[in-house]
Amino acid sequence: MAIEWRHRYRLGDAEVDAQHQTMFALVNKLLAATEKPHVTETVASSESCAFRVLL
C-alpha cells in the first residue's frame, strides 16, 4: 500500500510543496516497512528518521 503525491496537492509554495512530497515519501517507506517480517526494528528506525527530517 502506498500513497501517491498528486499535482493537485500543490500549494504553490515550492518549499512547502517539497516538504510535503518528502513527507509522502517517508510515509510510503514506513508503510512498506510494516509489510516486512522485521517490522518492529525497521519501523522504529524509520520513525526516528522521519522525525529528524520533519523537525
Side-chain angles (χ1 to χ4, degrees), residues 11-38:
L11 298 176
D13 181 311
E15 184 177 354
V16 173
D17 290 337
Q19 290 172 350
H20 289 167
Q21 290 176 12
T22 299
M23 188 169 28
F24 270 62
L26 289 170
V27 168
N28 283 329
K29 285 183 181 182
L30 188 58
L31 289 171
T34 63
E35 297 172 357
K36 296 181 180 179
H38 58 285

